[in-house]
Amino acid sequence: MSEISTNQPFGTPTWIDLGVADLDRAKAFYRALFGWEYLQVPTAHGPLTLCLLRGRRVAALRPRSAADVEGESWWHPYLATDDCDGAVRRITDSGGTLLAPPSDLADLARTAVVADPVGARFSLWQGHALAGCELVNEPCTLVRNDLASPAPEPARRFYADVFGFTLDGNDAVPDLDFTFLRRPDGHEIGGVFGAPDAPSSRWQTVFEVADTDELVALARGAGGTAHDPEDAPYGRMAAITDPFGTAFSVITRPPAPSAAERRTGNDTGASSQQQGHPVSNGGTRTVTGGSGR
């Protein structure tokens, strides 16, 4: 588990939200999956519904906006900045597009909606009253963001130019077109997948869950669809689609090794950072560095 109370370093995925047309149905679906409660706050852009886990803010539901594409739906990531207006200039100077100019989201943060040169949309988050997701890397919270694109090279150059990320390949899976994105301090914040068959470039979201098989059953019972769970070297995973067509993934990760196991080298649950695999978010229990928390 990671508890977050301070703004994260530049470029770190720090918040997520979802634009929905039917708020009540979305609330019911995600409550069934994750046990979230909700708090609605007014903003200049319309009501924002904060998703709460044990009273902590972990995501939001909102009306559809400039962050969305007609006919498509996905969990929308926000990258951290301490200067939203300045970050917008860096993004447009590097070939990105401004879709919604910087504005204050109530007293929570200053935000802007942008797109990278391959069309993947994301937002900036300059935290004020809210640093971002207050819980990550535990069941029912954000654990990972990655970009999948049919044109990954321009995307890689863009994120390196704007955010200063280093680009590192994955020697463990040389046939996979994947590049780790790491902050200048070396902390991994996500990655870029080359996906030749993808219809468009999109940031993808992974949530941690306690039991992937149970979560799949809950999603199907609540009106969503789900692929059957699969075991990967880094956890048990499944692809979920909510009733609005929003695709995301869930993972149950193996337990972190105990201190005794680390001392003796009996680490049967070696982290995916050690193994060089792109699944999961960082924090106090780091697996691959993911959101860099």
Side-chain angles (χ1 to χ4, degrees), residues 138-150:
E138 68 167 89
C140 305
T141 70
L142 175 67
V143 73
R144 180 81 187 181
N145 299 102
D146 288 298
L147 174 64
S149 173

Side-chain angles (χ1 to χ4, degrees), residues 64 69-73 244:
R64 290 181 62 83
V69 174
E70 187 65 31
E72 300 183 29
S73 180
F244 312 101

Side-chain angles (χ1 to χ4, degrees), residues 21-32:
D22 186 336
L23 177 61
D24 289 339
R25 190 177 181 194
K27 288 166 63 176
F29 178 79
Y30 286 100
R31 180 183 288 116

Side-chain angles (χ1 to χ4, degrees), residues 1 21 29 31 36 47 53 68 84 88 95 99 109 115 128 143 160 195 207 221 242:
M1 179 185 74
F29 178 79
R31 180 183 288 116
W36 287 348
L53 183 66
D68 303 301
C84 186
V88 164
L99 301 175
H128 292 160
V143 73
F207 293 96
D242 75 10

Side-chain angles (χ1 to χ4, degrees), residues 40-73:
Q40 190 169 99
V41 297
T43 78
H45 307 287
L48 181 71
T49 300
L50 297 172
C51 308
L52 310 179
L53 183 66
R54 302 194 309 275
R56 307 297 294 273
R57 296 164 289 187
V58 297
L61 304 173
R62 56 165 172 75
R64 290 181 62 83
S65 70
D68 303 301
V69 174
E70 187 65 31
E72 300 183 29
S73 180

Side-chain angles (χ1 to χ4, degrees), residues 19-279:
V20 297
D22 186 336
L23 177 61
D24 289 339
R25 190 177 181 194
K27 288 166 63 176
F29 178 79
Y30 286 100
R31 180 183 288 116
L33 264 62
F34 299 141
W36 287 348
E37 299 298 330
Y38 302 100
L39 174 66
Q40 190 169 99
V41 297
T43 78
H45 307 287
L48 181 71
T49 300
L50 297 172
C51 308
L52 310 179
L53 183 66
R54 302 194 309 275
R56 307 297 294 273
R57 296 164 289 187
V58 297
L61 304 173
R62 56 165 172 75
R64 290 181 62 83
S65 70
D68 303 301
V69 174
E70 187 65 31
E72 300 183 29
S73 180
W74 69 93
W75 279 95
H76 184 83
Y78 290 70
L79 305 188
T81 178
D82 59 5
D83 180 1
C84 186
D85 298 68
V88 164
R89 290 190 293 272
R90 294 182 66 158
I91 286 167
T92 55
D93 287 347
S94 297
T97 303
L98 178 63
L99 301 175
S103 63
D104 291 329
L105 184 65
D107 66 343
L108 301 177
R110 187 163 179 80
T111 69
V113 182
V114 296
D116 66 23
V118 298
R121 299 185 179 202
F122 65 96
S123 287
L124 299 167
W125 185 273
Q126 181 182 346
H128 292 160
L130 180 62
C133 300
E134 294 180 306
L135 296 174
V136 296
N137 304 334
E138 68 167 89
C140 305
T141 70
L142 175 67
V143 73
R144 180 81 187 181
N145 299 102
D146 288 298
L147 174 64
S149 173
E153 289 308 319
R156 289 166 178 148
R157 290 194 297 270
F158 169 81
Y159 290 99
D161 289 345
V162 172
F163 297 103
F165 297 151
T166 59
L167 305 174
D168 300 309
N170 188 347
D171 295 336
V173 282
D175 295 333
L176 181 66
D177 184 8
F178 178 83
T179 302
F180 291 106
L181 299 177
R182 291 191 171 101
R183 296 186 317 226
D185 63 5
H187 200 112
E188 180 192 334
I189 65 87
V192 178
F193 283 97
D197 296 331
S200 57
S201 300
R202 292 285 176 267
W203 279 93
Q204 303 176 339
T205 294
V206 184
F207 293 96
E208 183 160 350
V209 295
D211 186 328
T212 295
D213 294 73
E214 179 183 14
L215 197 288
V216 163
L218 290 172
R220 291 168 174 168
T225 61
H227 292 193
D228 290 337
E230 296 183 354
D231 288 321
Y234 318 100
R236 188 159 175 80
M237 300 189 70
I240 310 292
T241 302
D242 75 10
F244 312 101
T246 309
F248 58 95
S249 296
V250 297
I251 185 170
T252 301
R253 297 185 289 170
S258 68
E261 288 172 328
R262 289 195 297 270
R263 285 195 299 269
T264 62
N266 183 24
D267 181 1
T268 58
S271 78
S272 58
Q273 184 167 10
Q274 294 167 326
Q275 300 171 6
H277 181 75
V279 175

